[in-house]
Amino acid sequence: MITVDEALDHLFSLVSPLETETVPLSEGMGRVLAADAVATRDQPPFSASAMDGYAVAEAQAAPGACFTVIGEAAAGHAFSGSVGARQAVRIFTGAPVPDGADRVIIQEDVTRDGDRITLGENLDNNKHIRPLGADFKVGDKLSAPRRLSASDIALLASMNIPNVTVTRQPDIALISTGDELVMPGETPGPDQIIASNTFGLKALLEAHGARARILPIARDTRASLEAAFALAEGADLVVTIGGASVGDHDLVGDVAADLGVERAFYKVKMRPGKPLMAGRFGEAAMVGLPGNPVSAMVCGHVFLLPMLRAMLGLGARRSSRLTARLAADIGPNGPREHYMRAIVKDGAITPLPSQDSALLTVLAEANALMIRPPDDPPREAGSQIPYLPL
Amino acid sequence: MITVDEALDHLFSLVSPLETETVPLSEGMGRVLAADAVATRDQPPFSASAMDGYAVAEAQAAPGACFTVIGEAAAGHAFSGSVGARQAVRIFTGAPVPDGADRVIIQEDVTRDGDRITLGENLDNNKHIRPLGADFKVGDKLSAPRRLSASDIALLASMNIPNVTVTRQPDIALISTGDELVMPGETPGPDQIIASNTFGLKALLEAHGARARILPIARDTRASLEAAFALAEGADLVVTIGGASVGDHDLVGDVAADLGVERAFYKVKMRPGKPLMAGRFGEAAMVGLPGNPVSAMVCGHVFLLPMLRAMLGLGARRSSRLTARLAADIGPNGPREHYMRAIVKDGAITPLPSQDSALLTVLAEANALMIRPPDDPPREAGSQIPYLPL
């Protein structure tokens, strides 16, 4: 058996960052920036008023001082003249500060009478000016690779970048295998169940930046498996679910091998999700996951999401772990890395009572996979424990 | 000035849960389940083998016992007969356990010779059977309301629910206002900047389940604002950005009032993001956010996401806060609730050095808004501090 990290290393060897494409900024959310975005302007592009008030020369801004208002500057409407001695310009938030002025007196501190203003006695010490280029300057970068957040999108807009270069979304083909499966909406026979993993994995992978396709269920025959693999044409990653075991009824590996997959088959020291098949299938990577519903979803989090991130150019790293405080004592772990369905609430983590890997209800109730290393000793309440958020 | 919670209470009074619609399960990820999903089947629908091995009667499963193999049960292929005394059925993971058998001996513990098997000396104590209905039974529910996760999608598939009833996605119209703005890709004049908030807010709102539309920039004229409001027709929520202040150049409130908005205008005790306008605009709610880029995005997190969740049927509650350990001492807070741009790493939170609300670069660097209540006293490193994840 190999460790989870060893399995991941092998999986990373099967994938590489995909090519890039350009998309409108409005479609950039969640995409992975593939080339540095470089500002072609300063922001703000001029010294700008941060408040509504009056722009004056700092040297003359004494309590009680009087000024003549010679004009107005609003956002988008600069005052074109210069502010001289004892002169002020009415100014609004976002307007360029006129030449000759280097301080804005907020309107609450000013008494106005016609075109004359008098400053109050208790002025604040703030200039209320945002200096030119305070946010960013020409040439400043948002560096790739980076998964774009809503804040990033706002920043890129502000940089005047209407289109962004991002990694193409990986095309992932999902094939569930087994004579026992029918699609949701069909009527299962007495010895059949509903294919659920392809639906769960599609949702998971698409939420993390892939385009996933659910292919027809492959039956336990060579012809059916070959037909499913043929439909995976063009995918960057082909994922089979079920049949990745050592049982007599596991044709998937044999058929994959016949189709040219340089197959490696692993028992991974993990719970749930022990058996894993992996190889190259033409231009695509191929991974075979266990058919147990919870195992397949856990393997999706532990193996497929890191592969997806590697294809997106975010590097070959395992999923980031968070930590939480253990809510109650737990006993020792066995020899396999255990991904326990758990609930994190208010910073405390509690493993759910049943860890049976057949229970999707328990997985749906969980919001975390609590990670226990192989042979982890007993842990006391209050210990910091790593987990993957679900 | 009113508190953030008071402002939220008023905003919640402007919205209600939207109507529902039915979508294919494969499109359900992230949508809000609006009606309980009820299982119409048991899972597993039969007692199922959890391993590859041999099904026998528990009473006869002694170390060294011998059995005659009378048939085979695979997933999707039940064994139709019954297992009698000293009889065994070859069985594979997921197959129905045949009548007469109530234990599976894993194949590693069996020696086979033709149709005869002999059990090993060190049998485990596990029956390796998943009981009928262990995961869920007919009538078990996934209860609404609930934002559907990938695990939920897998569970719903397993329940044989091919379509789900979800809340319609709110239609949110975004209008930025101001003569100083141009769209990304345009060439700004010397006193102009790029409209960024509509792009950031669209990304944020869509990531949380809305459909957002960026309308043309409204100029600082009645005609332009009226034209923009007209284009918001059909929206559930109209958000204006900028012009929600008390300055002479803030036409938005006046125009909204003329269009029938029963307007309320607030100064909210928060930093950044003080001014807020809100009202009903025909069938829609209307909110006016400050034009400062960071303020608008922070208001998006603090006010718009809770309104969005309320429209989605998830209840009228402020955003869930997480907590982290303060990395270094901080001084007292002022009289306004402060949403500080901060970085959370390894459970520790550090506010960024500059909290200037004009800096989108700082917002993009942050992954959290650290929340300080009004007049919060100094806090020492190690204190638990609430935050909103970005």
Side-chain angles (χ1 to χ4, degrees):
Chain A
M1 290 214 282
I2 62 174
T3 67
V4 170
D5 283 344
E6 287 165 347
L8 268 175
D9 282 345
H10 183 73
L11 295 174
F12 288 141
S13 76
L14 300 174
V15 293
S16 332
L18 301 181
E19 64 273 29
T20 65
E21 63 184 8
T22 300
V23 300
L25 181 60
S26 60
E27 296 168 17
M29 177 67 176
R31 300 296 297 270
V32 174
L33 190 68
D36 294 350
V38 184
T40 56
R41 57 187 296 277
D42 302 319
Q43 174 62 23
F46 39 75
S47 289
S49 181
M51 298 292 281
D52 293 345
Y54 292 85
V56 298
E58 158 78 358
Q60 303 187 323
C66 293
F67 299 83
T68 301
V69 179
I70 60 166
E72 183 175 302
H77 300 282
F79 174 75
S80 56
S82 182
V83 177
R86 297 290 157 202
Q87 292 183 331
V89 162
R90 176 71 169 128
I91 196 163
F92 296 95
T93 305
V97 176
D99 286 349
D102 54 358
R103 179 167 173 183
V104 171
I105 309 296
I106 62 172
Q107 59 195 16
E108 290 82 353
D109 283 346
V110 169
T111 308
R112 181 161 179 171
D113 180 14
D115 65 354
R116 298 283 293 168
I117 61 166
T118 306
L119 305 194
E121 291 303 319
N122 296 303
L123 303 181
D124 64 34
N125 291 318
N126 196 317
K127 293 196 176 184
H128 299 298
I129 290 175
R130 295 176 185 143
L132 184 156
D135 198 1
F136 54 81
K137 294 188 171 64
V138 171
D140 281 358
K141 289 174 186 170
L142 190 67
S143 296
R146 176 183 183 93
R147 198 185 287 271
L148 294 174
S149 69
S151 304
D152 292 339
I153 299 291
L155 175 60
L156 290 167
S158 177
M159 287 176 160
N160 205 7
I161 293 174
N163 301 292
V164 283
T165 301
V166 296
T167 313
R168 175 170 71 73
Q169 294 184 286
D171 174 353
I172 302 184
L174 301 169
I175 303 171
S176 53
T177 70
D179 287 346
E180 76 277 25
L181 299 175
V182 301
M183 290 290 281
E186 294 182 343
T187 303
D191 48 9
Q192 290 188 302
I193 60 173
I194 319 296
S196 58
N197 288 321
T198 42
F199 284 80
L201 289 172
K202 173 181 160 70
L204 178 68
L205 294 166
E206 292 196 334
H208 287 81
R211 291 180 181 276
R213 304 187 257 146
I214 296 177
L215 300 188
I217 294 166
R219 300 298 164 197
D220 291 326
T221 65
R222 287 187 166 264
S224 183
L225 280 161
E226 285 166 1
F229 275 111
L231 288 171
E233 172 77 29
D236 301 297
L237 172 63
V238 180
V239 178
T240 62
I241 302 138
S245 170
V246 290
D248 301 12
H249 282 264
D250 297 310
L251 274 171
V252 180
D254 292 345
V255 172
D258 290 350
L259 292 171
V261 174
E262 288 181 35
R263 168 168 58 132
F265 183 87
Y266 309 100
K267 283 197 169 184
V268 185
K269 277 172 67 177
M270 70 182 286
R271 292 174 62 193
K274 191 163 50 175
L276 192 71
M277 184 166 47
R280 289 287 311 177
F281 176 55
E283 293 298 303
M286 187 227 151
V287 174
L289 301 183
N292 185 308
V294 174
S295 301
M297 291 302 290
V298 169
C299 286
H301 285 274
V302 175
F303 297 121
L304 299 185
L305 292 188
M307 291 179 81
L308 172 56
R309 285 193 296 269
M311 285 189 279
L312 286 168
L314 289 168
R317 283 188 297 275
R318 68 181 187 186
S319 298
S320 294
R321 298 167 172 203
L322 303 177
T323 60
R325 186 177 76 250
L326 192 59
D329 296 355
I330 50 173
N333 188 31
R336 294 193 275 153
E337 187 157 302
H338 195 177
Y339 290 83
M340 303 182 77
R341 280 67 74 201
I343 290 180
V344 174
K345 193 177 175 198
D346 300 333
I349 190 162
T350 309
L352 287 160
S354 173
Q355 295 294 326
D356 184 327
S357 65
L359 305 184
L360 280 173
T361 42
V362 175
L363 184 68
E365 186 186 353
N367 64 7
L369 292 174
M370 182 173 116
I371 305 169
R372 301 209 62 195
D375 301 314
D376 195 38
R379 297 282 173 189
E380 291 186 355
S383 311
Q384 290 292 314
I385 300 279
Y387 70 92
L388 297 179
L390 286 177
Chain B
M1 290 215 280
I2 63 173
T3 67
V4 170
D5 283 344
E6 287 165 347
L8 268 175
D9 282 345
H10 183 73
L11 295 174
F12 287 140
S13 76
L14 300 174
V15 293
S16 331
L18 301 181
E19 64 272 33
T20 65
E21 63 184 7
T22 300
V23 300
L25 181 60
S26 60
E27 296 168 17
M29 176 68 176
R31 299 296 298 269
V32 174
L33 190 69
D36 294 350
V38 184
T40 56
R41 58 188 295 276
D42 302 319
Q43 173 61 26
F46 40 77
S47 288
S49 180
M51 298 294 281
D52 292 346
Y54 292 84
V56 298
E58 159 76 359
Q60 302 187 322
C66 294
F67 299 84
T68 303
V69 179
I70 59 167
E72 181 175 303
H77 299 281
F79 175 75
S80 56
S82 184
V83 178
R86 297 290 157 204
Q87 292 183 328
V89 162
R90 175 72 168 129
I91 196 164
F92 297 95
T93 305
V97 176
D99 286 348
D102 53 0
R103 179 167 173 182
V104 172
I105 309 296
I106 61 173
Q107 60 196 14
E108 291 82 353
D109 284 346
V110 169
T111 308
R112 183 164 178 169
D113 179 14
D115 64 355
R116 297 283 295 168
I117 61 168
T118 306
L119 306 194
E121 292 302 319
N122 295 303
L123 303 180
D124 63 35
N125 291 318
N126 197 318
K127 294 197 177 185
H128 300 298
I129 289 175
R130 297 177 183 140
L132 184 156
D135 197 2
F136 54 81
K137 294 190 170 64
V138 171
D140 281 356
K141 289 174 188 172
L142 190 68
S143 297
R146 175 182 184 94
R147 199 185 287 272
L148 294 173
S149 69
S151 304
D152 292 341
I153 298 291
L155 175 60
L156 290 167
S158 177
M159 287 176 161
N160 205 6
I161 294 175
N163 300 292
V164 283
T165 302
V166 296
T167 313
R168 174 171 69 75
Q169 294 184 286
D171 174 354
I172 302 183
L174 301 169
I175 304 173
S176 53
T177 72
D179 288 344
E180 76 277 24
L181 299 176
V182 300
M183 290 289 282
E186 294 182 342
T187 303
D191 47 8
Q192 291 188 304
I193 60 173
I194 320 296
S196 58
N197 288 322
T198 43
F199 284 79
L201 289 172
K202 173 182 161 71
L204 178 68
L205 294 165
E206 292 195 334
H208 288 80
R211 291 183 181 274
R213 301 187 258 147
I214 296 177
L215 299 188
I217 294 166
R219 300 301 163 192
D220 291 326
T221 65
R222 285 187 167 266
S224 183
L225 280 161
E226 285 166 2
F229 276 112
L231 289 172
E233 173 77 29
D236 301 297
L237 172 61
V238 180
V239 178
T240 63
I241 302 139
S245 168
V246 291
D248 300 12
H249 282 263
D250 296 311
L251 274 170
V252 180
D254 293 344
V255 172
D258 291 349
L259 292 172
V261 175
E262 288 182 35
R263 169 169 57 133
F265 183 89
Y266 309 98
K267 283 196 169 185
V268 184
K269 277 171 68 175
M270 71 182 285
R271 294 173 61 195
K274 191 162 50 175
L276 192 72
M277 185 166 47
R280 288 288 310 177
F281 176 56
E283 294 299 302
M286 188 226 149
V287 174
L289 301 182
N292 186 308
V294 174
S295 301
M297 291 301 291
V298 169
C299 285
H301 286 273
V302 174
F303 296 120
L304 299 185
L305 292 188
M307 291 179 81
L308 172 56
R309 285 194 295 267
M311 286 189 279
L312 287 169
L314 289 169
R317 282 188 298 274
R318 67 182 187 184
S319 298
S320 294
R321 296 166 175 204
L322 304 177
T323 59
R325 185 176 78 249
L326 192 59
D329 296 354
I330 52 172
N333 188 30
R336 294 194 274 153
E337 188 156 300
H338 196 177
Y339 290 83
M340 303 182 78
R341 277 67 74 200
I343 290 180
V344 175
K345 192 177 175 197
D346 299 333
I349 190 163
T350 308
L352 287 160
S354 173
Q355 294 293 325
D356 184 327
S357 66
L359 305 185
L360 281 173
T361 42
V362 175
L363 184 68
E365 186 185 352
N367 64 6
L369 292 173
M370 181 174 118
I371 305 171
R372 302 209 61 194
D375 302 314
D376 195 39
R379 297 283 173 190
E380 291 185 355
S383 311
Q384 288 292 315
I385 300 279
Y387 71 92
L388 299 179
L390 286 179

